[in-house]
Amino acid sequence: MSDRLIDTRALEAALAEFARERDWDRFHNPRNLLLALTGEVGELAEIFQWKTDAEAEGVMGTNEAEHVRQEVADVLLYLVRIAMVLGIDIDAAVRNKIAMNARKYPPLRDTGDQT
Amino acid sequence: MSDRLIDTRALEAALAEFARERDWDRFHNPRNLLLALTGEVGELAEIFQWKTDAEAEGVMGTNEAEHVRQEVADVLLYLVRIAMVLGIDIDAAVRNKIAMNARKYPPLRDTGDQT
Amino acid sequence: MSDRLIDTRALEAALAEFARERDWDRFHNPRNLLLALTGEVGELAEIFQWKTDAEAEGVMGTNEAEHVRQEVADVLLYLVRIAMVLGIDIDAAVRNKIAMNARKYPPLRDTGDQT
Amino acid sequence: MSDRLIDTRALEAALAEFARERDWDRFHNPRNLLLALTGEVGELAEIFQWKTDAEAEGVMGTNEAEHVRQEVADVLLYLVRIAMVLGIDIDAAVRNKIAMNARKYPPLRDTGDQT
């Protein structure tokens, strides 16, 4: 689809198989996954909690970079699982929300080329 | 790439343009975006806070379905922005984390087809 | 004060001294403490993430009880620090919010003693 | 008790009555309250999400001060409810955690008064 913004189909298939191979579907209900998502967002926040903005912006040049990548991935994985168990089409939801945001927050007028 | 699990390239391009058109890049530093992510996870959690597991599993059949889709999208959008400002390759991070999880949690032995 | 609902004065004094003795005041600004609070809420959520409601209600009878107590304390300590650095009177804020909630959500009418 | 650091007894009594008068005890199980806590932390985070550290530190001098007080109170109220439904002695938990932290992070040596 030419207007697809995000493609999670291969990831969803991989996560479905991953859960099935471990008999984890019985744990992956919406409230459990929301608590797990909260936990992973907390782990990501902890990496940044005592950093200045400058330190935070430079974190990927430090030995914490791999930790940041792992926590970002963990948040994403649980979010995709939530969408999966709820039957949400992630790409459609994202495109719709961006369209809503664009109506709510119109672009600044470009006044730079008025000649 | 045949082994890509998630493709966020079009979304990242759209979000970059969206921020640029509104002069929002100055707000989108890692700590700000983390607080925004926390806010959106909170909004998603609030939809489910007084629901039983059965009610949570059935939420997409109710008039709250659109609200759930919007909050899932909001969490995703801020997470992708965090990855963008940190320069994280989301697909690589996800594939690496799944490989780590697979080593940490091996699949159950399938004893069902021993004949 | 007879209508005080919560008294955090001794705790605030102890936390002020604790931070001063470790030169931590320079880290304890509102945004940092909010990220730390998010982190601790995440740790508390993780304890419960794969539990049923029945398991969650029985957690204090298991060997996870001490962990739960510690995470509840951690969330409280960061929340009190946030109030401290912002100069919020916790008891006044709590009493005011309960009064607001009472107006928003009136008690159910008690129809049981109509004789 | 002379070594009590926080006294939540009157608040716990008030919250117990508040829930009882509205028949809310059936909703106030640990996982629900954790999702509600996550929601309130999110609302608090949203107030600060686009602020610089300087703006965050000055927020109580702005017209957002009352909003901040209300969200801090909301986080505290749900946290106390979590402790209540789990049967946690908040003061004991807090005193124990501070003692643990003191062992883990010893005070800096005071080298200022060496004469």
Side-chain angles (χ1 to χ4, degrees):
Chain A
M1 201 79 82
S2 61
D3 58 357
R4 187 181 284 275
L5 286 180
I6 182 169
D7 190 339
T8 56
R9 290 172 294 182
L11 177 56
E12 292 184 39
L15 292 179
E17 187 185 3
F18 200 95
R20 193 167 49 237
E21 288 175 344
R22 286 156 185 82
D23 197 15
W24 281 356
D25 284 309
R26 65 206 155 112
F27 296 120
H28 286 188
N29 63 58
R31 290 163 80 231
N32 279 8
L33 289 166
L34 270 168
L35 291 171
L37 180 73
T38 299
E40 296 300 339
V41 169
E43 291 188 31
L44 183 59
E46 283 179 2
I47 300 176
F48 291 87
Q49 64 192 5
W50 307 130
K51 289 184 169 44
T52 63
D53 281 321
E55 289 166 345
E57 282 164 28
V59 71
M60 300 309 288
T62 74
N63 61 11
E64 293 185 285
E66 177 56 23
H67 188 192
V68 174
R69 277 191 288 267
Q70 290 175 16
E71 298 304 341
V72 166
D74 274 335
V75 176
L76 184 70
L77 294 176
Y78 281 123
L79 184 64
V80 170
R81 282 300 279 164
I82 289 171
M84 288 171 69
V85 302
L86 291 174
I88 293 174
D89 178 331
I90 293 175
D91 179 60
V94 160
R95 280 187 286 118
N96 181 59
K97 194 55 171 60
I98 290 177
M100 288 175 64
N101 290 347
R103 285 191 295 271
K104 186 172 176 184
Y105 305 104
L108 301 178
R109 282 164 300 157
D110 183 349
T111 59
D113 58 350
Q114 294 175 342
T115 52
Chain B
M1 201 77 86
S2 62
D3 59 356
R4 188 181 284 276
L5 286 179
I6 181 169
D7 190 338
T8 56
R9 289 172 296 182
L11 176 56
E12 292 184 40
L15 292 179
E17 186 185 1
F18 199 94
R20 195 167 47 239
E21 288 176 341
R22 287 155 185 82
D23 197 16
W24 281 357
D25 284 309
R26 65 205 155 111
F27 297 120
H28 287 187
N29 63 58
R31 289 162 82 234
N32 279 7
L33 290 166
L34 271 168
L35 291 172
L37 180 73
T38 300
E40 296 300 340
V41 169
E43 291 187 31
L44 183 59
E46 283 180 2
I47 300 176
F48 292 87
Q49 64 192 3
W50 307 130
K51 288 184 168 44
T52 63
D53 281 322
E55 289 166 345
E57 282 163 28
V59 71
M60 300 309 288
T62 74
N63 60 10
E64 292 184 286
E66 177 56 22
H67 188 193
V68 173
R69 278 191 289 266
Q70 291 176 15
E71 298 304 340
V72 166
D74 274 335
V75 176
L76 183 70
L77 294 177
Y78 280 122
L79 184 65
V80 170
R81 282 300 279 163
I82 289 172
M84 288 171 69
V85 302
L86 293 173
I88 292 173
D89 178 332
I90 293 175
D91 179 60
V94 160
R95 280 188 286 118
N96 181 59
K97 193 56 171 61
I98 290 177
M100 288 176 63
N101 289 348
R103 285 191 295 273
K104 186 172 177 185
Y105 305 103
L108 301 178
R109 283 164 300 157
D110 184 351
T111 58
D113 58 350
Q114 294 175 343
T115 53
Chain C
M1 200 80 83
S2 61
D3 58 358
R4 189 181 283 276
L5 285 180
I6 181 169
D7 190 339
T8 57
R9 289 172 295 181
L11 176 56
E12 292 184 40
L15 292 179
E17 186 184 3
F18 200 95
R20 195 167 47 237
E21 287 175 342
R22 286 155 186 82
D23 197 16
W24 280 357
D25 284 310
R26 65 207 155 111
F27 296 119
H28 287 187
N29 62 60
R31 289 163 81 233
N32 279 7
L33 290 166
L34 270 168
L35 291 172
L37 180 73
T38 299
E40 296 301 340
V41 170
E43 291 187 31
L44 183 59
E46 283 179 2
I47 301 176
F48 291 87
Q49 65 191 2
W50 307 130
K51 288 184 169 46
T52 63
D53 282 321
E55 289 166 344
E57 282 163 29
V59 71
M60 300 309 288
T62 74
N63 61 9
E64 292 185 286
E66 177 55 22
H67 189 192
V68 174
R69 278 191 289 265
Q70 290 175 16
E71 298 304 341
V72 166
D74 274 335
V75 176
L76 184 70
L77 294 177
Y78 280 123
L79 183 65
V80 170
R81 281 301 279 165
I82 289 172
M84 288 172 70
V85 302
L86 291 173
I88 292 173
D89 178 331
I90 293 175
D91 179 61
V94 160
R95 279 187 286 119
N96 181 58
K97 193 56 171 60
I98 290 177
M100 288 175 64
N101 290 348
R103 285 190 295 271
K104 187 171 176 185
Y105 304 104
L108 301 177
R109 282 164 302 157
D110 183 350
T111 59
D113 59 349
Q114 296 175 341
T115 51
Chain D
M1 201 78 84
S2 61
D3 59 357
R4 188 182 284 273
L5 285 180
I6 181 169
D7 190 339
T8 56
R9 290 172 294 182
L11 177 56
E12 292 184 40
L15 292 179
E17 186 184 2
F18 199 94
R20 194 167 47 238
E21 288 175 343
R22 286 154 186 83
D23 197 15
W24 281 356
D25 284 310
R26 64 205 156 113
F27 297 119
H28 286 189
N29 62 58
R31 289 163 81 234
N32 279 6
L33 290 166
L34 270 167
L35 291 172
L37 180 73
T38 298
E40 296 301 339
V41 169
E43 291 188 30
L44 183 60
E46 283 180 2
I47 300 177
F48 292 87
Q49 64 191 4
W50 307 130
K51 288 184 170 44
T52 63
D53 281 323
E55 289 166 345
E57 283 164 29
V59 71
M60 300 309 288
T62 74
N63 60 10
E64 293 184 286
E66 177 56 22
H67 189 192
V68 174
R69 278 191 289 266
Q70 290 174 17
E71 298 304 341
V72 165
D74 274 335
V75 177
L76 183 70
L77 294 176
Y78 280 123
L79 184 65
V80 170
R81 282 300 280 164
I82 289 171
M84 287 172 70
V85 301
L86 291 173
I88 292 174
D89 178 332
I90 292 175
D91 179 61
V94 160
R95 280 187 285 118
N96 180 59
K97 193 56 171 60
I98 290 177
M100 288 176 64
N101 289 348
R103 286 190 295 272
K104 186 172 177 184
Y105 305 104
L108 301 178
R109 283 164 300 156
D110 183 351
T111 59
D113 58 349
Q114 295 177 343
T115 52

